[in-house]
Amino acid sequence: MRDITHFIDGATVAGTSGRFGEVFNPNTGEVQARVALASAAEVDAAVASAARAQAAWGAVNPQRRARVMFEFKRLVEARMDELAELLSSEHGKVLADSRGDIQRGLEVIEFACGIPHALKGEFTDGAGPGIDVYSMRQPLGVAAGITPFNFPGMIPMWMFGVAIACGNTFVLKPSEKDPSLPVRLAELMMEAGAPAGVLNVVHGDKTAVDALLDHPGVAAISFVGSSDIAQYVYSRGAAAGKRVQAMGGAKNHGLILPDADLDQAVKDIMGAAYGSAGERCMALPVVVPVGERTAEAVREKVLAELETLTVGISTDPAAQYGPVVTAAHKRRVEDYIQLGVDEGAELVADGRGFSLQGFENGFFIGPTLFDHVKPQMRTYQEEIFGPVLQIVRAETFEEAVALPSAHQYGNGVSIFTRDGRAAREFANKVNVGMVGINVPIPVPLAYHTFGGWKRSAFGDANQHGMDGVRFYTKVKTVTARWPEGAVEDSAFVIPTMR
Ligand code: NAD
């Protein structure tokens, strides 16, 4: 069986823990590889390698660091098909979606190519007599990233793209469920000209994460995953004196007002709810039609769309989504479907028991639809992370807006309407971090910034865009004085500008 190993100091490292995780082929249900799970020793080796590389890498001028990013982008683009196949083979998402995953990561690399501009500091000429004040952004040192299974291309690039361009070195702890692509990305970074140690990959579970959180050589931690772990990472990392950003789970709502283009809105919601088998933090698993007539029309149109929705293996070009990532995840989603029934929601389409000829052991779940879901139900309050769409009916606009605002998660939300005033009011008032107006998955572009509110994110700085640059740098402010003429008297009171 194939072993997936760590990547430390520019080389493959088997590790000494003797512990391994299983990596599945979600299409067939078979174990296809085992991944080494790090102990603190491998984490130490990776942090030591990153620390050795950092001073020289941080001293490379920003334009040359940007050139490494340009070359990395070229290398990834040249291998897009091979990398997408690798991603799909462990994650289960369809190939076109894997290409999208990598492409969204490359868009952050494109942003990182502009790092000389983003790192420019501020300067005040003549702040006082012979006095100039200027600020510069300096790298933090060694930063670490801990990433989820659902975007094994994009999310590592969100983190290491910006961190490395800013002059940090990086230790990535990717998800142990689909760990191969991040290693290939690290190899390509070396091929692009990043020196050994600038990007290391350590596989593992809680043991590796805790070792990174406690490690005195790690200055910053970026985490993306589920909310309870995000909160844990945030608390433990901050207690160890690190800068931490920790993105968590989500339950994104799509409001449909009576005046919306219903055909378009339902088409948009289908892709956002069921694409990638619902395993996206910006999926749209809750639809809130306003008014009974809208609700009935939406339900009817969703049911019509479900007739033609194709579930298949990840290499099937006709498939709209593939299997979920593991058998355990499939069970979790199916348990939620049962819970929904037990709680009294109406199960309109049941994806349990879905089977694909020739792939009977694959981790497939058919598209599932619930109607008459109520806010007090656990299936509404919690994240399911599967191909399950829930209709929560609201009588008024105010009632609809209150739902995402009151929810424990606040990652993304969308509104479908032709009424600009209502959309504007919604965008201003809703208590959620990322808002779409007639856009079902409002993931901001790389030069903007990504981050939710409430239990969807812990810490102050978002991912990528200028917030990413701020997260991975510290500001130094210099006050310089070049006096002319006679010696000035000592000042015993605090100097002020007069
Ligand atoms: P997860 O929380 O299980 O795992 C995320 C990372 O944490 C992995 O690297 C994993 O190895 C590690 N981990 C798991 N258990 C741990 C523990 N007890 N202690 C320390 N580390 C631990 O998440 P997942 O299942 O891989 O990913 C899905 C989740 O990620 C969903 O909740 C989804 O909404 C969320 N997500 C959020 C965003 C966002 O930006 N807000 C983006 C993508 C995914």
Side-chain angles (χ1 to χ4, degrees):
M1 182 169 304
R2 186 167 62 97
D3 274 358
I4 300 164
T5 51
H6 312 292
F7 185 77
I8 299 173
D9 213 33
T12 291
V13 172
T16 55
S17 73
R19 296 192 308 123
F20 296 89
E22 291 179 325
V23 177
F24 294 93
N25 174 344
N27 292 318
T28 63
E30 288 159 1
V31 177
Q32 57 162 317
R34 54 177 207 166
V35 57
L37 300 177
S39 61
E42 285 82 45
V43 171
D44 264 349
V47 175
S49 161
R52 279 194 303 276
Q54 200 278 320
W57 179 248
V60 168
N61 73 57
Q63 220 164 341
R64 280 188 49 212
R65 294 201 299 260
R67 285 187 194 134
V68 172
M69 293 298 164
F70 276 109
E71 179 60 4
F72 175 71
K73 171 174 143 66
R74 194 189 67 76
L75 291 172
V76 172
E77 280 170 345
R79 288 162 182 75
M80 181 60 95
D81 289 347
E82 163 207 330
L83 296 174
E85 274 167 33
L86 186 63
L87 193 167
S88 285
S89 72
E90 293 179 354
H91 179 287
K93 64 174 81 171
V94 296
L95 283 172
D97 206 26
S98 290
R99 282 193 285 272
D101 182 332
I102 296 167
Q103 181 56 36
R104 284 306 291 243
L106 280 185
E107 290 173 11
V108 175
I109 300 299
E110 287 168 353
F111 171 73
C113 288
I115 204 69
H117 181 68
L119 283 180
K120 282 189 309 191
E122 297 174 327
F123 187 89
T124 302
D125 173 37
I131 297 176
D132 301 323
V133 180
Y134 58 96
S135 65
M136 51 181 123
R137 294 203 160 268
Q138 297 191 326
L140 304 176
V142 177
I146 300 153
T147 52
F149 81 84
N150 69 326
F151 279 100
M154 176 182 83
I155 294 178
M157 285 190 262
W158 277 3
M159 297 176 181
F160 75 69
V162 180
I164 290 173
C166 287
N168 302 281
T169 52
F170 205 81
V171 178
L172 174 67
K173 205 301 286 170
S175 170
E176 65 277 34
K177 292 175 187 150
D178 46 9
S180 290
L181 179 71
V183 177
R184 280 296 291 136
L185 295 177
E187 288 169 350
L188 291 173
M189 274 297 288
M190 303 294 109
E191 204 178 318
V198 166
L199 176 56
N200 303 276
V201 181
V202 190
H203 301 294
D205 51 11
K206 180 171 166 49
T207 305
V209 172
D210 287 350
L212 284 168
L213 293 174
D214 297 342
H215 203 296
V218 175
I221 298 274
S222 179
F223 173 92
V224 177
S226 53
S227 289
D228 288 349
I229 315 278
Q231 187 166 16
Y232 164 77
V233 164
Y234 179 70
S235 312
R236 188 159 172 165
K242 302 183 197 314
R243 196 175 279 194
V244 189
Q245 54 177 191
M247 276 63 195
K251 190 86 174 184
N252 306 321
H253 295 53
L255 275 60
I256 306 188
L257 303 197
D259 69 347
D261 177 341
L262 289 190
D263 289 330
Q264 186 62 57
V266 169
K267 290 263 183 217
D268 289 344
I269 282 165
M270 293 302 290
Y274 297 110
S276 197
E279 294 170 318
R280 290 182 184 138
C281 67
M282 290 295 274
L284 207 67
V286 177
V287 61
V288 186
V290 176
E292 275 305 300
R293 275 180 52 200
T294 315
E296 288 303 321
V298 165
R299 173 181 166 137
E300 199 178 300
K301 286 178 195 295
V302 170
L303 274 172
E305 292 287 331
L306 284 179
E307 297 284 315
T308 57
L309 203 163
T310 311
V311 183
I313 58 169
S314 49
T315 48
D316 176 356
Q320 274 141 338
Y321 76 82
V324 299
V325 68
T326 58
H329 192 62
K330 178 177 164 161
R331 270 195 305 279
R332 183 192 128 101
V333 174
E334 291 185 341
D335 286 351
Y336 268 117
I337 297 174
Q338 185 55 44
L339 179 62
V341 174
D342 297 344
E343 289 179 320
E346 183 195 357
L347 183 57
V348 184
D350 186 355
R352 292 173 297 178
F354 179 93
S355 181
L356 207 60
Q357 205 183 356
F359 297 90
E360 287 79 5
N361 295 324
F363 308 140
F364 296 95
I365 306 172
T368 299
L369 177 67
F370 277 106
D371 196 357
H372 300 288
V373 174
K374 304 288 180 212
Q376 66 275 15
M377 293 179 179
R378 260 187 63 203
T379 46
Y380 169 77
Q381 290 161 0
E382 297 173 14
E383 182 182 40
I384 299 175
F385 222 54
V388 181
L389 177 61
Q390 297 170 295
I391 300 176
V392 182
R393 296 173 177 231
E395 278 174 25
T396 62
F397 174 68
E398 289 71 24
E399 193 191 320
V401 179
L403 286 166
S405 289
H407 203 280
Q408 63 163 331
Y409 294 118
N411 217 36
V413 70
S414 291
I415 188 167
F416 295 88
T417 179
R418 289 186 169 100
D419 181 341
R421 192 203 52 76
R424 186 169 184 274
E425 183 184 336
F426 173 76
N428 280 329
K429 285 195 177 155
V430 71
N431 187 18
V432 171
M434 293 177 278
V435 180
I437 298 173
N438 298 316
V439 170
I441 306 183
V443 177
L445 293 171
Y447 45 93
H448 285 268
T449 187
F450 182 106
W453 288 3
K454 299 180 280 182
R455 283 186 61 74
S456 294
F458 301 86
D460 305 312
N462 279 355
Q463 300 280 347
H464 62 68
M466 283 310 292
D467 237 25
V469 174
R470 283 188 277 272
F471 181 73
Y472 288 112
T473 54
K474 50 195 173 193
V475 176
K476 183 177 280 177
T477 308
V478 179
T479 306
R481 171 168 162 251
W482 302 99
E484 275 178 50
V487 173
E488 295 172 20
D489 278 347
S490 304
F492 292 95
V493 295
I494 178 88
T496 55
M497 296 306 295
R498 272 170 287 151

